[in-house]
Amino acid sequence: MNTRSVTRSRSGRLITAFALAVAVLTPVVASTSASAATTLTVAQALAAQDGRTATVTGYVVGQPTATTTVITSGYTADTAIALADSAAETGTGRMLYVQVTAAYRSTFGLLTNPGLRGRQVTATGTLTAYFSHGGLKNPTAMSLGGATPGPTPTPTASPNPSPSPTGGGGPYDSTYYASAIGKTGTALRSSLHAIIRTQTKLNYDQVWEALKDTDQDPANANNVLLLYSGRSQSKTSNGGDANDWNREHVWAKSHGDFGTATGPGTDVHHLRPEDVSVNSTRGNKDFDAGGSGVSECTGCYSDADSFEPRNAVKGDVARMIMYMAIRYEGDDGWPNLEINNSVSNGTSPYHGKLSVLLAWNLADPPDAFEKRRNQVIYDRWQGNRNPFVDHPEWATAIWG
């Protein structure tokens, strides 16, 4: 039997999960007149893809032609437009794909009206997937300009949002997380899954470039910070040789056997740069406290069935595992990933150890680096967020 040490904490700080006191934002069903209905922002519409009828206002940013492709010139048809909360938006994960049916094509089709790009449009229709992407279909009303405004969206350009770790309101509560606010337990879990599953999916080669951006050393733009070892290393020294850095799957890819195929295998929210040998030592072990020291990774410990990261990233690891358990629920062709209290999960789609991860989440709240990383992934790569970085207290609200 392995001897477990007491979980180490660099500060001993604990945060207490408070009950959320923010009122639930109830989406308003739109009438057939766009000008008479309360509108949703694009972010709210993307978070409410449940077949309801709603009115949405956004800026035309291009013509969607595939799940992750929106063209901004050389338009090919009048059948669809992409709306966003900013006219300068480039991330498809933050765009709503709007079907333009025959009645509206002469006015709202981009092939006929290329000058429409950058203008504000209000559309009423069914919030449901279009091009296998968050969308609005079968419009019953479309008009230029905004209708009666809904809740004012918080700008998404801030590089370092500062969500409260103690249950207070965050900068995305009235927009991105609107359907989750006020919920706990299973209801919170379901709402968060519906929100974060809308994302741009990367291939495994794109992950190299994403990590050079998401994990950039704040003190040296030419380097990345390695997750477990904490070493600052040249962005260009990535590969498979000794002392190179490679792509660490924090949720071990064998736990569910999803490999490196596009999906959980390429989700940057749990992929981090790490020294090749340290990555090998961690392998596919679950997370727990205790073991022997790890070479090239001061403050890390490992034994036969578990790995303990250094104190400064214990919470980061916990929140990445929690993200994966909520994002991948088995409803999109990938395994249903779950957290349990075991350290011998093998190839099952489970990861542990839940009790330890909850303690790490409390002891090591999100720091500026983790918050920036979450923002960069949202702004420039996947268009979705790790809710446990914005609201660490939601971990306790879901798993107790």
Side-chain angles (χ1 to χ4, degrees):
M1 180 178 295
N2 295 320
T3 300
R4 302 293 177 193
S5 65
V6 177
T7 303
R8 298 165 181 83
S9 171
R10 68 177 184 275
S11 65
R13 291 173 293 169
L14 295 179
I15 56 175
T16 304
F18 288 90
L20 299 178
V22 184
V24 177
L25 176 64
T26 304
V28 178
V29 177
S31 71
T32 57
S33 171
S35 62
T38 300
T39 63
L40 300 180
T41 65
V42 167
Q44 289 171 328
L46 288 170
Q49 294 287 298
D50 55 7
R52 75 184 70 177
T53 298
T55 299
V56 183
T57 292
Y59 293 92
V60 179
V61 290
Q63 176 198 342
T65 58
T67 303
T68 60
T69 305
V70 172
I71 59 176
T72 57
S73 63
Y75 304 116
T76 60
D78 285 328
T79 54
I81 56 175
L83 300 184
D85 286 326
S86 165
E89 182 60 70
T90 58
T92 57
R94 293 180 295 282
M95 297 178 186
L96 183 75
Y97 291 2
V98 177
Q99 181 183 31
V100 181
T101 50
Y104 301 103
R105 288 172 189 166
S106 62
T107 304
F108 296 97
L110 278 168
L111 178 61
T112 302
N113 307 278
L116 189 65
R117 182 168 176 259
R119 297 192 63 183
Q120 196 175 45
V121 166
T122 296
T124 300
T126 303
L127 295 182
T128 189
Y130 188 38
F131 287 94
S132 300
H133 179 99
L136 183 150
K137 295 179 67 175
N138 304 315
T140 57
M142 296 185 74
S143 62
L144 292 172
T148 303
T152 302
T154 302
T156 60
S158 172
N160 292 305
S162 300
S164 167
T166 56
Y172 293 94
D173 287 3
S174 65
T175 53
Y176 189 72
Y177 295 122
S179 63
I181 298 301
K183 296 179 180 178
T184 60
T186 301
L188 175 60
R189 178 175 188 144
S190 296
S191 293
L192 291 177
H193 172 66
I195 292 168
I196 67 176
R197 75 190 301 266
T198 299
Q199 68 182 97
T200 297
K201 297 178 178 64
L202 309 178
N203 62 46
Y204 203 43
D205 285 338
Q206 289 175 307
V207 169
W208 286 120
E209 296 309 310
L211 294 182
K212 293 174 185 178
D213 186 17
T214 61
D215 290 70
Q216 179 175 294
D217 183 350
N220 185 345
N222 295 315
N223 287 10
V224 291
L225 287 179
L226 307 189
L227 173 64
Y228 302 133
S229 62
R231 188 169 75 231
S232 179
Q233 185 157 327
S234 171
K235 291 179 177 179
T236 62
S237 63
N238 57 303
D241 295 332
N243 294 318
D244 282 349
W245 64 268
N246 60 5
R247 296 160 290 189
E248 154 71 339
H249 290 76
V250 176
W251 185 292
K253 58 182 180 288
S254 65
H255 289 222
D257 197 26
F258 51 74
T260 59
T262 297
T266 64
D267 194 315
V268 185
H269 276 296
H270 86 115
L271 285 162
R272 302 293 292 266
E274 187 47 66
D275 176 86
V276 169
S277 62
V278 175
N279 194 346
S280 178
T281 298
R282 187 268 159 136
N284 67 348
K285 296 173 183 176
D286 291 278
F287 293 103
D288 199 359
S292 302
V294 176
S295 177
E296 297 187 80
C297 193
T298 302
C300 300
Y301 301 86
S302 186
D303 57 24
D305 58 14
S306 70
F307 186 86
E308 178 183 356
R310 61 194 173 99
N311 289 331
V313 295
K314 280 184 166 70
D316 306 53
V317 167
R319 288 180 283 274
M320 285 185 277
I321 294 293
M322 292 166 183
Y323 163 87
M324 294 293 283
I326 297 300
R327 167 59 186 89
Y328 298 98
E329 295 280 27
D331 56 1
D332 53 2
W334 298 106
N336 180 12
L337 305 182
E338 297 291 346
I339 311 175
N340 64 11
N341 224 33
S342 173
V343 289
S344 56
N345 283 306
T347 60
S348 300
Y350 305 118
H351 225 300
K353 188 175 183 180
L354 176 59
S355 58
V356 172
L357 294 170
L358 287 170
W360 288 354
N361 175 58
L362 292 172
D364 175 37
D367 59 16
F369 184 89
E370 190 180 1
K371 292 175 187 176
R372 177 196 175 274
R373 188 176 199 277
N374 195 31
Q375 190 69 37
V376 169
I377 293 172
Y378 179 67
D379 284 340
R380 297 202 281 266
W381 293 99
Q382 293 187 179
N384 69 339
R385 305 183 68 81
N386 182 337
F388 303 103
V389 175
D390 293 327
H391 282 282
E393 76 279 359
W394 280 347
T396 305
I398 292 173
W399 286 286

